[in-house]
Amino acid sequence: MSDAFTTRMIDVATGSSETVHDLTPACESFLREAAQGRDGLLHVFVPHATAGVALIETGAGSDDDLLAALHALLPADDRWQHRHGSPGHGRDHVLPAIVPPYATVPVIGGRMQLGTWQSVCLVDTNRDNPDRQVRLSFLG
């Protein structure tokens, strides 16, 4: 594989509670090695049927607000046709239609071009799967 494209899988422990997990430090670390100061695109993909990737502010309550909004849109009750797992687990399978399982971020000079308050985050409402993988890919 040429140095124009580099990819790596990282493991993320999300635990047994719903979470918005900040991937920004892992993305920055990956780009230091993969981009080496070049311009290109960072693609972040979570290969799971019950998780997504969001660009969102963290640490000021927005991450909790996102989880609250997802609860309002996708209640964890028995309305879902998909019924295995913990109660309301069917809604976890609808999540990626609202919070997609990927994001692409421009990279200039080896650095993500995020807005001032943006972070790259894994959104995981599935309490049944405490361990996730995320694929980071750089195309330069």
Side-chain angles (χ1 to χ4, degrees):
M1 189 175 299
S2 77
D3 64 351
F5 180 77
T6 305
T7 189
R8 175 178 305 142
M9 198 72 99
I10 62 170
D11 295 317
V12 178
T14 56
S16 60
S17 60
E18 298 177 358
T19 189
V20 175
H21 180 87
D22 191 352
L23 297 171
T24 308
C27 292
E28 290 169 339
S29 176
F30 170 71
L31 286 173
R32 277 192 294 278
E33 181 182 322
Q36 298 178 0
R38 295 177 295 150
D39 297 349
L41 296 172
L42 171 68
H43 187 73
V44 181
F45 175 71
V46 56
H48 297 281
T50 58
V53 176
L55 299 181
I56 188 170
E57 178 180 7
T58 58
S62 297
D63 32 5
D64 291 331
D65 289 342
L66 174 58
L67 292 175
L70 290 171
H71 271 281
L73 289 169
L74 305 170
D77 58 23
D78 64 356
R79 74 183 69 201
W80 308 100
Q81 299 298 312
H82 189 104
R83 293 185 185 270
H84 77 84
S86 60
H89 175 66
R91 65 139 185 174
D92 299 327
H93 287 273
V94 177
L95 173 76
I98 296 169
V99 181
Y102 59 87
T104 302
V105 179
V107 175
I108 305 295
R111 298 182 55 133
M112 288 184 291
Q113 298 301 293
L114 295 171
T116 301
W117 304 112
Q118 286 181 315
S119 295
V120 180
C121 296
L122 172 65
V123 180
D124 187 3
T125 59
N126 183 357
R127 296 169 298 166
D128 297 338
N129 190 349
D131 299 301
R132 298 297 189 157
Q133 291 186 314
V134 177
R135 179 170 296 281
L136 305 176
S137 300
F138 175 73
L139 178 63

